[in-house]
Amino acid sequence: MTRATIVGAGGLGGPLALGLAAAGIEVAIVDPDRVELSNLHRQVHFSSADVGQPKASVLAGAVVARGGTAKGYQLRWTAEDADDISGDSDLIVDGSDDPATKFAVADWAVRTGRPYVIAAAIRYGGNVLVGAPPSACYRCLFEEPADAASCQTAGVLGPVVGAIGGVAAALAIGLAKGDRTHAGSIFVFDDLRTKQDPRIVRFEPRAGCPACAAQQRMGA
Ligand SMILES: [Zn+2]
């Protein structure tokens, strides 16, 4: 059975976990937080009865209730624990709301040679990056965590996370099946309210990228 780690059980993690599990992928769901009332408008896999419960285990329960296979871990995903939690995962998908976690997930995936998807949503849009070593990586494009606005501070329109999470799930399922068409590309949705088309941007490996350099050392 194909296995995936889903980092984050919120607005992106919900459609990711449910989508991958419905495609027959076993999921490990990692999130340190508990369900809050203010989450429910965008994290529609939770209900008011779940408030106060750990997001990871509630989402894992929702997967299992639909016939899927899931484990929930109530903790923040870090590279230190990665081998224990994600060591048997074939791919890893980030839907967290934390730039440092996104870099940690991508760096670990690159270092260990795993395909990965990093999804982000804010306000009315978002983006989804697909990587599969030795493709250009997340750090090739973004270099360092920036002090980006978060959903906590800037907000996000509820259905936007469902849209971005759905795209990320579809791309992750493709990777799980060995489809590397979009490795080294980012899907950009600037504002889903407008007529502007989404963009799929393929980017090149960046000379001197430390994540790619570590991967090349491992592979050498
Ligand atoms: Zn790189």
Side-chain angles (χ1 to χ4, degrees):
M1 194 173 195
T2 302
R3 297 190 181 93
T5 297
I6 311 289
V7 180
L12 296 167
L16 281 166
L18 294 169
L20 268 63
I25 297 169
E26 182 179 328
V27 292
I29 302 164
V30 190
D31 193 303
D33 296 333
R34 293 175 181 270
V35 181
E36 296 177 31
L37 198 57
S38 63
N39 299 147
L40 300 184
H41 77 103
R42 65 180 188 275
Q43 301 179 16
V44 297
H45 45 290
F46 300 134
S47 73
S48 53
D50 300 321
V51 171
Q53 300 298 313
K55 290 182 180 182
S57 56
V58 175
L59 181 55
V63 168
V64 171
R66 288 161 172 80
T69 307
K71 262 190 247 173
Y73 297 89
Q74 191 193 357
L75 46 83
R76 187 170 298 282
W77 190 95
T78 65
E80 286 72 42
D81 299 328
D83 288 344
D84 289 341
I85 293 166
S86 306
D88 65 355
S89 288
D90 300 293
L91 69 155
I92 184 163
V93 186
D94 177 278
S96 75
D97 188 19
D98 176 39
T101 299
K102 288 176 156 27
F103 276 91
V105 166
D107 287 351
W108 180 80
V110 172
R111 195 169 66 243
T112 61
R114 287 175 169 81
Y116 62 98
V117 173
I118 310 285
I122 196 157
R123 298 189 187 98
Y124 305 105
N127 59 68
V128 181
L129 183 143
V130 181
S135 77
C137 83
Y138 188 77
R139 196 177 282 278
C140 285
L141 186 63
F142 291 116
E143 300 196 18
E144 297 281 343
D147 287 330
S150 72
C151 288
Q152 297 292 342
T153 55
V156 62
L157 185 68
V160 168
V161 291
I164 303 296
V167 170
L171 291 166
I173 290 166
L175 279 179
K177 291 180 174 166
D179 179 358
R180 295 181 170 231
T181 305
H182 294 298
S185 300
I186 186 166
F187 288 58
V188 181
F189 305 83
D190 286 318
D191 187 335
L192 290 168
R193 299 170 305 171
T194 69
K195 289 183 177 172
Q196 189 176 21
D197 289 332
R199 288 172 286 140
I200 305 172
V201 182
R202 182 172 290 276
F203 55 97
E204 296 300 318
R206 176 168 58 89
C209 169
C212 287
Q215 202 257 339
Q216 281 154 11
R217 279 199 301 276
M218 295 290 285

